Amino acid sequence: MSLLHLAIVLPFLAAVFIPFLFKGLKSIHTGWFVLLVPLFLFIYFIQYLPVTGDGETVTKTFEWIPSLGINFIAHVDGLGLLFAMLITGIGALVVLYSIYYLAKEKEALHNFYVYLLMFMGAMLGVVLSDNLIVLYMFWEFTSISSFLLIGYWYDRERSRYGAQKSMLITVFGGLSMLGGIVLLYLMGGTFSIQELIGLSDVLITDPLFVPALLLILLGAFTKSAQFPFHIWLPDAMEAPTPVSAYLHSATMVKAGIYLVARMSPVFAESGLWLWLVAGFGIFTLFWGSFNAVKQTDLKALLAYSTISQLGLIMSLLGVGAAALHYDYLDDNIYMIATIAAVFHLINHATFKGSLFMMAGIVDHETGTRDIRKLGGLVNLMPITFTIAIIGSFSMAGLPPFNGFLSKEMFLTGMLSVLELDLFNLSTWGVLFPVIAWIASVFTFVYSIKLVFKTFLGKPQFDKLPKKPHEAPIGMLISPLVLITLVVVFGFFPNLLSNSLIKPAVEAILPSLVESGQEVDVHIYFWHGFQPELFMTLGIILFGIVLYSTLAKWQGVYNRIPERFTLNGLYDRGLSGSESGGYRLTSGVMTGFMRTYLVYIFSFFVAILMSTLIIKQGFVYDTSGLAAIKSYEVILALVLVAGAVTILFAKSRLTSIVALGVVGYSVALFFVLFRAPDLALTQLVIETVTVALFLLCFYHLPEISRKEERMRFRFGNAVLSVLVGITITLIAMSAFSQRSSESISQYHIDNVYELAAGGNMVNVILVDFRGFDTLFEICVLGVAALGIYAMIRYRSARSENE
Amino acid sequence: MEFLMCIVVGILFASAVYLMLSKSLLRIIIGTGLLSHGAHLLLLTMSGLKTGAAPILNDNISSYTDPLPQALVLTAIVISFGVTAFFLVLAYRTYQELGTDNMEEMRGTESHD
C-alpha cells in the first residue's frame, strides 16, 4: 500500500476518530480537526502537478482480490488530478464554511463530519481508481454518503423524501453502470480502464458494445442529473447548505461528468456516444435554465442552474468526441470543445460553490431563502452582495469573469457542430448552437434575477424572520476565496492552461496525443469580431428584455399541469408501483388453500404437457406389455367405481367406506401382481386408516354436520382430469421407452448367498437397503410423537376458555 | 395390462386432485389417500407386471417379479400411513379448536393482534 493509496483512504481513516473528538473535546468545534484532512490532501496532490504537466502518469497497485482481477489501482493523470484538487480544495473551503454555519451546541456534528469525510474519500476513490470495480465501489459510497447527508436533518419530512429520491435514482444508475462494467469485462477481459482504452478498436465491433455504452451512460446521466434524471437534485437541497455547495454543485454531480470524460477514449469512436452525450447535454442545459427562472427559492434556483451547467459541460464533452472522427485535420477545431468542457468544469466549481455559500449566508442571516421575501439587502450585506454579483455575472457569462471565457469557448464548440458531416449532424446540427443560445439567454435571466431580487429592489425587512446583518468573517472566507479565483481565472486564464487543463484534455483524448496532435490551450479574452461575440451581445440584449418583462410571460410555467411534470410522473410511478405491488400480492395470495393448489396443479400440467408436446415425447409401444386377464379388468372396474363413488357420495360415511373399497382393491391388485408383503401391509394399514377416518367423522362439529353433496365445479373438474391425463400419458411414454435393464437381478442372485434370506423384499428392506427402513421407522416415530403432542398439549387459549 | 393400470392410476389421480380442491378438510385428506394409492400402483406398474413368480426364493423357479419396487412401495405405504395418521389427528384437533371443517373459513392472511 503506497502513500497514494493512503491518501485516498485517509478521509475514511480520519472519520473513525471524529466521534471521539466530538465527545471528548466539546469546547473545540469538531470541524477544525476535519479541516486538516482536506488541507493536507490538497498540499499532497499539488506535488503531482509537475508530473502530470509533463504528460507523465503515476500508477500504484494494491492487490485486493487478484484472483478476480480486482485490484485497487490508483492512477493519477491530468483528469484524475484535476478532480482530486477540486475535491480536496473545495472540500477544505466547505469544511471551513461549515464550522461557522453549523453551531456546535445544536447540531450532531459527529454525524455530519463522518458522512462528509466518507464522501470525500469516496469521491477521491472514484476519480483516482483505474479498476472499474473499485471505481464502482467508491461510486456507491458517494451515493450512500450523499443519501446520509441529504437526510441529515432526519426529523424533517422533506429531507427524508429528498434523500430517498436521490438514493433511488442514483442507485438505479449505479446498478446500470455495474452492468456496463460487467459487459466491458466480458468484451475486454479486464477491469482496468487504461487497458480497455488500448482495446477500444476491438471493442467497437463487439455486439455487446452498444449495451455497455448505454448502461455506462445511464450511470453517468443519473449521477450528473441529466434530463430526465435531474429531478433528484432540486429535492437534495434539503441538505445543509455546505453539503449542497460541496456535493450538489462542485463534486458529486461531476462524478458523471468524470465518468463520461474517463470513458470517452473507450466509447467515443462510436457515433452513438457523440449523439447521446451531446444531445442529452444540450437539452438538459436548456431545460435546467428554463426551469431555473421560475424558482422562488434561492437554493432551488441554484439547483436548476447546476443541472443546466452540467448539461453544458456534458454537451461539450459530446461534441469534443468529434475530434476523434477528424484526427486527420491539422487544426482540430473540435478539440476546443473538450478544452472548454474542462475549463468550464473548473469555473463552475468556483462560482457555483461561492453562490451556494452566498445563499447559505443569506438564509443564515435573514432566516429565509424565499426570493419573494428578500430584497434590498445590498446596504446591510455588502460583502455578500459582492460575492453574489461576481458569481452571478460569471455564471451568466459576462466579462471580465471566468464564466465569460468558458461561455465563449462553449459557443465556439457549438458552432463547430455546424461543420460536422457525420450522422445527419449536417442537417440537425444547426439545432445545437440555436438551443445553446436560447439556454444562455435564460441563464442570463436567472443569474440577474438571483442578484437583483435578493439584494436590490425594495427592502421588506418586516417579512423576514430575523433582523438581517452581515455574516461573521469566518463564514465569508470560503466564498471570498472562491470568488477571488473567479476573478483571477478570469484575468489570467492561462495560469490553468498548461498546469491543469492540458493534462486533463490529453487524458480525455489520448489517441490524438499519440497521433502527434498538440493540445494547444490558449484562452484569449479577445478574439476579434467572431460570431461568438455577436451571440454574446445578443444574449445580453435579449436577457435584459426578457428579465424586464418577466412578470408578463411568467404565466407560461403554469401551463404544464402538475401531473405531467417529471416530478409528478416520479411520484405517481413510485406510489403506483407500491399500490400495484400490493394489488398483485393481495390478488395472487388469496389466503385460500384451494387457490394455491390450483396454481400448483396448473403449472404441473402446463409444464409437463408442453414439454411432452414440444419435445414430441409421447411414445406408444405395446411390445413389452403383459396380457390382460378378465378378473383384473373386473378389479380395475371396482377400484375405479370406488374412486368415483367418493366424488358423488352425499354422506361422508359413504366416502370413507368407498375409500376403504379402493384400499382393499389395491391390496387385491398387490396379490395379483405377486407382491404378498405389500398385500399384507396394505390390508392392515387400510383398516387402521379407515378406523381413523371414522374417528374424525364422528367428531365433526355440530354446525357442519349436515351432509351435502360436493358441489360440482367445472374448473376443478377440468383441472383434475388434465392432471389425470398428464400422469397417464407420461406413465405410458416412460414405460414404452425404458432404456436399461433392472438392477434387481443382483438382488435375486445374491439374496441367499450374501444375506441368508429367501424373502427378497424383506432382505432388501433390512439388509441391502436397510437405511431406508431405519428412517422410515423414524418417520413413524415422529408421527406418533407428533400425534401424542397434539392431543396432550393444548394451547393456553383453549385452557382459558 | 400396464397401459390399463396407467389409465386406472390416471383416474385415481384425477379423483384425488378433484377432492383436494374441495372445501371440506375431510375430503382433502381422502384425496391425499387416493393420491398415495395412485402413486403406489404407479410404482409397481412401471417396473413391469407379472414377469415371474412372487419374489420368494424357490429352487424350482428361475424367473421372479422385480423385488426392488415392492420394497420401495412398502416403505412408501408406511410413510404415507404415518403422515395420514398425523394429518387426521390434526384435522380432528382442528375440528375441536375451530369448530369447522370448511377450508374457506380457515384463512391465515388477516392479521390478528
Side-chain angles (χ1 to χ4, degrees):
Chain A
M1 185 167 251
S2 67
L3 199 59
L4 183 58
H5 289 105
L6 277 177
I8 293 171
V9 297
L10 177 71
F12 287 104
L13 299 176
V16 175
F17 298 101
I18 295 304
F20 299 109
L21 289 170
F22 176 71
K23 297 255 164 70
L25 293 164
K26 281 210 182 297
S27 54
I28 306 169
H29 195 288
T30 319
W32 291 111
F33 303 109
V34 179
L35 184 58
L36 299 174
V37 178
L39 267 183
F40 169 77
L41 288 175
F42 186 72
I43 294 163
Y44 174 77
F45 282 117
I46 282 179
Q47 62 160 329
Y48 284 99
L49 271 179
V51 181
T52 56
D54 295 340
E56 303 289 318
T57 61
V58 179
T59 308
K60 293 268 168 48
T61 305
F62 173 71
E63 292 207 334
W64 183 23
I65 316 173
S67 58
L68 296 178
I70 299 171
N71 293 314
F72 186 4
I73 304 172
H75 178 82
V76 182
D77 60 1
L79 185 65
L81 187 68
L82 166 69
F83 273 88
M85 305 216 36
L86 277 181
I87 292 159
T88 51
I90 296 182
L93 293 173
V94 161
V95 171
L96 180 66
Y97 176 77
S98 71
I99 292 172
Y100 291 92
Y101 188 84
L102 296 169
K104 72 169 184 276
E105 294 82 14
K106 280 186 259 172
E107 302 286 351
L109 288 178
H110 52 314
N111 292 349
F112 180 79
Y113 285 116
V114 166
Y115 302 157
L116 198 72
L117 282 173
M118 198 167 116
F119 170 77
M120 195 183 290
M123 210 53 217
L124 280 177
V126 167
V127 299
L128 294 177
S129 295
D130 184 51
N131 190 294
L132 280 168
I133 293 289
V134 178
L135 188 149
Y136 171 74
M137 182 189 78
F138 284 118
W139 184 277
E140 291 298 16
F141 256 124
T142 64
S143 296
I144 293 166
S145 48
S146 163
F147 168 78
L148 291 168
L149 283 166
I150 297 168
Y152 174 66
W153 286 309
Y154 52 82
D155 44 356
R156 298 183 188 171
E157 205 266 328
R158 292 296 303 172
S159 292
R160 296 197 302 269
Y161 173 78
Q164 186 207 36
K165 193 177 192 177
S166 72
M167 185 76 167
L168 284 176
I169 293 177
T170 53
V171 167
F172 161 72
L175 288 175
S176 312
M177 195 181 100
L178 180 64
I181 291 171
V182 172
L183 290 185
L184 278 175
Y185 182 75
L186 289 179
M187 289 187 282
T190 174
F191 283 124
S192 162
I193 299 172
Q194 297 304 318
E195 287 173 32
L196 282 171
I197 290 171
L199 293 169
S200 61
D201 296 343
V202 190
L203 296 182
I204 195 164
T205 57
D206 200 290
L208 293 176
F209 179 81
V210 172
L213 184 155
L214 293 175
L215 288 170
I216 295 270
L217 272 189
L218 204 54
F221 283 176
T222 50
K223 198 75 161 183
S224 277
Q226 298 296 297
F227 186 88
F229 305 111
H230 64 275
I231 51 173
W232 67 266
L233 191 62
D235 283 306
M237 291 303 129
E238 295 302 321
T241 303
V243 172
S244 310
Y246 190 35
L247 274 70
H248 306 126
S249 71
T251 51
M252 187 179 91
V253 286
K254 297 210 171 98
I257 304 273
Y258 168 79
L259 190 73
V260 169
R262 180 55 88 200
M263 300 308 278
S264 272
V266 182
F267 290 114
E269 287 285 347
S270 155
L272 188 65
W273 175 269
L274 196 158
W275 253 116
L276 286 175
V277 176
F280 273 92
I282 197 91
F283 190 74
T284 309
L285 165 65
F286 164 72
W287 192 248
S289 62
F290 176 67
N291 276 297
V293 177
K294 76 167 174 179
Q295 303 302 322
T296 52
D297 178 275
L298 280 180
K299 277 174 85 176
L301 191 152
L302 289 172
Y304 276 102
S305 139
T306 303
I307 293 167
S308 153
Q309 305 277 321
L310 291 169
L312 186 155
I313 301 173
M314 200 64 100
S315 66
L316 280 173
L317 283 175
V319 174
L324 296 175
H325 298 273
Y326 292 95
D327 49 5
Y328 49 85
L329 290 180
D330 281 339
D331 180 25
N332 203 323
I333 53 169
Y334 301 104
M335 205 186 276
I336 186 123
T338 310
I339 296 170
V342 175
F343 188 40
H344 195 72
L345 185 94
I346 303 168
N347 294 344
H348 177 250
T350 54
F351 68 69
K352 193 53 67 68
S354 62
L355 283 176
F356 264 108
M357 291 177 185
M358 178 280 294
I361 291 170
V362 170
D363 186 17
H364 206 261
E365 304 307 331
T366 65
T368 184
R369 299 195 307 252
D370 194 330
I371 235 165
R372 288 165 298 191
K373 295 181 187 163
L374 295 166
L377 293 172
V378 59
N379 294 323
L380 292 166
M381 306 170 81
I383 306 175
T384 318
F385 170 70
T386 315
I387 295 166
I389 199 153
I390 295 176
S392 300
F393 279 12
S394 177
M395 181 159 75
L398 295 179
F401 307 114
N402 58 3
F404 169 72
L405 303 170
S406 47
K407 186 63 76 67
E408 292 276 282
M409 290 166 75
F410 164 64
L411 294 173
T412 316
M414 288 299 130
L415 284 172
S416 71
V417 176
L418 294 176
E419 320 214 348
L420 276 176
D421 54 359
L422 20 101
F423 344 106
N424 296 327
L425 275 176
S426 44
T427 46
W428 288 100
V430 71
L431 278 175
F432 278 82
V434 171
I435 297 178
W437 187 82
I438 296 171
S440 302
V441 172
F442 280 113
T443 307
F444 183 87
V445 173
Y446 73 67
S447 304
I448 297 300
K449 180 180 171 183
L450 178 71
V451 188
F452 281 32
K453 296 264 178 182
T454 312
F455 292 97
L456 302 178
K458 215 166 58 226
Q460 36 188 352
F461 298 142
D462 49 322
K463 283 189 186 173
L464 298 177
K466 284 186 188 172
K467 195 175 158 7
H469 54 82
E470 186 58 278
I473 184 67
M475 220 172 187
L476 289 167
I477 293 173
S478 300
L480 280 177
V481 170
L482 285 174
I483 230 63
T484 314
L485 289 177
V486 169
V487 178
V488 169
F489 293 160
F491 282 104
F492 309 103
N494 291 314
L495 277 178
L496 292 171
S497 57
N498 277 331
S499 56
L500 275 175
I501 298 177
K502 184 166 174 269
V505 173
E506 283 173 346
I508 299 172
L509 304 167
S511 65
L512 286 187
V513 179
E514 276 169 33
S515 67
Q517 293 220 19
E518 183 75 13
V519 178
D520 192 20
V521 183
H522 278 297
I523 302 163
Y524 303 106
F525 241 109
W526 176 253
H527 37 72
F529 290 99
Q530 296 292 320
E532 296 89 314
L533 185 71
F534 297 113
M535 284 173 87
T536 307
L537 287 176
I539 288 166
I540 297 170
L541 196 68
F542 271 85
I544 292 170
V545 170
L546 273 184
Y547 178 72
S548 52
T549 58
L550 191 59
K552 290 191 182 114
W553 58 273
Q554 210 162 20
V556 76
Y557 288 111
N558 302 325
R559 291 283 169 82
I560 309 167
E562 176 62 28
R563 43 189 278 120
F564 290 116
T565 59
L566 284 167
N567 274 319
L569 282 178
Y570 166 84
D571 287 336
R572 273 191 304 149
L574 205 60
S575 63
S577 68
E578 272 171 18
S579 63
Y582 178 75
R583 268 204 304 273
L584 183 71
T585 42
S586 59
V588 174
M589 311 296 283
T590 56
F592 295 120
M593 202 179 78
R594 180 185 168 271
T595 323
Y596 307 138
L597 284 173
V598 167
Y599 297 153
I600 294 171
F601 286 126
S602 312
F603 274 93
F604 175 83
V605 170
I607 290 170
L608 290 180
M609 283 302 235
S610 56
T611 312
L612 210 59
I613 292 165
I614 292 166
K615 298 278 179 193
Q616 296 178 333
F618 185 67
V619 180
Y620 186 83
D621 179 13
T622 52
S623 60
L625 296 183
I628 303 177
K629 298 250 171 56
S630 57
Y631 47 85
E632 291 165 345
V633 177
I634 293 167
L635 193 55
L637 285 177
V638 169
L639 196 153
V640 169
V644 174
T645 308
I646 301 174
L647 301 182
F648 294 102
K650 188 183 173 204
S651 93
R652 292 192 176 98
L653 194 59
T654 319
S655 319
I656 294 169
V657 172
L659 181 66
V661 170
V662 173
Y664 289 124
S665 314
V666 171
L668 284 178
F669 264 121
F670 289 155
V671 173
L672 289 181
F673 297 152
R674 301 196 180 39
D677 304 285
L678 290 187
L680 279 172
T681 320
Q682 179 67 30
L683 277 172
V684 174
I685 279 182
E686 194 58 39
T687 312
V688 177
T689 314
V690 169
L692 275 170
F693 268 110
L694 288 173
L695 173 84
C696 270
F697 168 74
Y698 182 74
H699 283 280
L700 270 187
E702 292 297 322
I703 5 158
S704 62
R705 259 292 167 81
K706 63 174 196 308
E707 302 281 2
E708 58 176 17
R709 188 166 284 140
M710 194 162 44
R711 202 177 298 140
F712 179 75
R713 291 176 79 164
F714 184 71
N716 289 358
V718 168
L719 187 58
S720 46
V721 167
L722 281 174
V723 170
I725 290 173
T726 312
I727 294 284
T728 305
L729 291 182
I730 289 179
M732 285 178 171
S733 318
F735 188 79
S736 301
Q737 42 189 353
R738 286 201 288 180
S739 53
S740 57
E741 280 303 303
S742 168
I743 56 164
S744 295
Q745 197 54 46
Y746 171 83
H747 297 120
I748 294 168
D749 291 341
N750 295 303
V751 67
Y752 194 75
E753 283 73 28
L754 291 181
N759 186 332
M760 294 169 203
V761 175
N762 284 4
V763 167
I764 290 175
L765 281 175
V766 298
D767 198 321
F768 289 124
R769 302 176 60 90
F771 271 120
D772 291 1
T773 313
L774 176 65
F775 291 109
E776 161 197 340
I777 293 167
C778 284
V779 169
L780 270 190
V782 169
L785 283 174
I787 289 167
Y788 176 77
M790 270 195 295
I791 293 172
R792 182 74 183 75
Y793 300 108
R794 302 294 162 94
S795 72
R797 190 172 66 93
S798 64
E799 272 167 19
N800 292 342
E801 284 166 2
Chain B
M1 186 64 218
E2 281 86 354
F3 282 180
L4 177 67
M5 290 311 292
C6 287
I7 294 164
V8 169
V9 166
I11 293 169
L12 277 178
F13 266 79
S15 330
V17 169
Y18 190 76
L19 284 167
M20 287 166 79
L21 293 175
S22 74
K23 279 189 289 190
S24 155
L25 191 52
L26 196 67
R27 285 203 173 99
I28 291 174
I29 304 177
I30 292 175
T32 58
L34 279 184
L35 199 70
S36 35
H37 285 319
H40 301 153
L41 278 181
L42 188 62
L43 262 173
L44 213 58
T45 307
M46 295 322 286
S47 68
L49 296 172
K50 297 195 294 182
T51 48
I56 294 170
L57 200 64
N58 189 322
D59 289 339
N60 303 329
I61 298 169
S62 58
S63 157
Y64 298 96
T65 51
D66 197 335
L68 202 54
Q70 296 192 9
L72 296 180
V73 172
L74 197 58
T75 313
I77 288 174
V78 175
I79 290 175
S80 71
F81 166 69
V83 174
T84 308
F86 185 86
F87 200 3
L88 275 169
V89 176
L90 188 66
Y92 159 75
R93 292 281 295 121
T94 313
Y95 295 153
Q96 281 190 332
E97 292 285 326
L98 302 177
T100 179
D101 79 329
N102 189 343
M103 288 304 289
E104 310 261 297
E105 292 170 19
M106 299 183 212
R107 287 182 63 185
T109 52
E110 272 145 66
S111 60
H112 301 285
D113 296 314

